[in-house]
Amino acid sequence: MGILDRFSDIAKANVNDLLDQCEDPSKMIDQYLSDLTEDLIEVKQGTAGVMAEETRTKRLVDENDGQIARFAGLARKALEAGNEDDARVFLTKKQELEAEGADLAVIYGAAHDNASKMRQLHDKLVDDIEKLNARRELIKAKVSVAKTQDLVNEYAPRTEKASGALNAFDRMEDAADTLLDRANAAAELDQGPADEAAALEAKYAGMRGSAAVEDELTALKAEMGL
C-alpha cells in the first residue's frame, strides 16, 4: 500500500469512527480537525523526506552529467594531442557513466513522482483543514440553535401546565367569592329588621345635648355682662 493510500485510509477511519460515536457534531468536527492536524504533521514530515530524496537523486544525476561532460572533454584533448589510447580510456569511462546515468534518471523520475504526489497530498490536506475551519463556526451555530430549540420544546409543556394552573386558580377564586357573598348575606339576615324608633331617639338625644350647651353658654354671657 502506498503512502497516499495509507493516509487516505487513516482519514476515512477517523471520520467514520467519529460519526459512529457522534452525539454533538460541533465536538465531532473539533476532534476531526485535531486528527487532521496531527495527520498534517506526519504528512509534512513524510513530504519533506520524499522531497529530500528527490533533491539527492537530482544532485546525483547532475553530478553524473558533469562527469560525462568532463570525460568527453578529456577524450577530445587526448585526440588533439594525438593520444588515441588515452582517448579510448576517457570514452570508456564516459560510457560507463552514461550507463549509470540511465539508471539514475529512472531513480530520479520515481523520486520526482513521489515528491509530486506527496506535495499534492499535503496541499489537499491543508486545503481541507482550511475549509473545515471556515465551516466550523457555521456548524457550531447550527448545533447551538438546535440545542436552543430542544430547550424550548422541553419547557413548553411546563408553560402549558402553568396556564392550566392559572385557570384553576381563577375557578377557585370565583368559588371563594361566592362563599364570601353567601357569608355576608347570612350575617345581614342574622341582624334582623332595623329599629326606626331607636334611630330617631338617638337623633333627638344629640339635639338635646346641643340645646343644653347653648343654654349654659347664654347664662355665662349674662353673668359676665357680655
Side-chain angles (χ1 to χ4, degrees):
M1 177 183 293
I3 191 168
L4 296 178
D5 295 333
R6 184 166 66 85
F7 279 114
S8 177
D9 289 345
I10 289 173
K12 289 178 182 177
N14 286 343
V15 73
N16 287 333
D17 289 344
L18 288 169
L19 285 171
D20 291 340
Q21 303 170 5
C22 176
E23 294 180 357
D24 186 339
S26 61
K27 291 181 180 179
M28 187 195 77
I29 195 171
D30 284 342
Q31 182 61 51
Y32 188 45
L33 281 169
S34 177
D35 291 345
L36 283 180
T37 301
E38 292 180 4
D39 290 344
L40 180 58
I41 293 172
E42 190 172 350
V43 169
K44 279 184 176 179
Q45 293 173 346
T47 302
V50 173
M51 291 176 68
E53 181 63 20
E54 178 193 20
T55 301
R56 188 182 74 83
T57 54
K58 181 63 168 62
R59 183 170 61 250
L60 292 175
V61 169
D62 292 341
E63 290 174 354
N64 183 266
D65 289 342
Q67 288 290 83
I68 290 171
R70 187 169 72 86
F71 282 104
L74 290 172
R76 286 178 179 275
K77 288 182 180 180
L79 285 176
E80 290 172 355
N83 297 320
E84 290 188 6
D85 290 339
D86 291 346
R88 288 189 182 93
V89 173
F90 291 139
L91 290 176
T92 299
K93 184 62 176 179
K94 172 179 173 291
Q95 290 176 1
E96 290 175 357
L97 290 170
E98 287 174 341
E100 291 179 8
D103 292 337
L104 287 172
V106 173
I107 295 172
Y108 170 69
H112 177 72
D113 289 343
N114 288 336
S116 297
K117 290 177 181 178
M118 286 298 294
R119 280 194 293 267
Q120 290 173 6
L121 175 63
H122 172 269
D123 294 345
K124 184 180 184 303
L125 195 52
V126 170
D127 184 61
D128 287 345
I129 291 174
E130 289 178 353
K131 287 178 180 178
L132 284 174
N133 273 319
R135 296 176 61 188
R136 184 209 305 246
E137 295 307 318
L138 175 62
I139 293 173
K140 287 191 172 184
K142 289 182 178 180
V143 171
S144 178
V145 170
K147 288 182 177 180
T148 303
Q149 185 62 51
D150 288 341
L151 190 63
V152 172
N153 295 338
E154 178 184 351
Y155 283 103
R158 302 185 188 183
T159 307
E160 294 173 359
K161 182 179 178 180
S163 298
L166 288 174
N167 292 332
F169 271 65
D170 288 341
R171 291 194 299 272
M172 285 187 282
E173 187 173 5
D174 290 341
D177 289 340
T178 299
L179 291 174
L180 181 59
D181 291 341
R182 288 179 180 177
N184 288 335
E188 185 177 344
L189 291 173
D190 290 341
Q191 291 178 359
D195 189 345
E196 295 182 3
L200 289 174
E201 181 180 359
K203 175 181 176 182
Y204 285 103
M207 290 180 64
R208 285 196 299 272
S210 298
V213 170
E214 290 297 326
D215 290 343
E216 185 173 354
L217 178 62
T218 300
L220 182 59
K221 288 170 66 177
E223 179 182 343
M224 295 174 65
L226 298 177

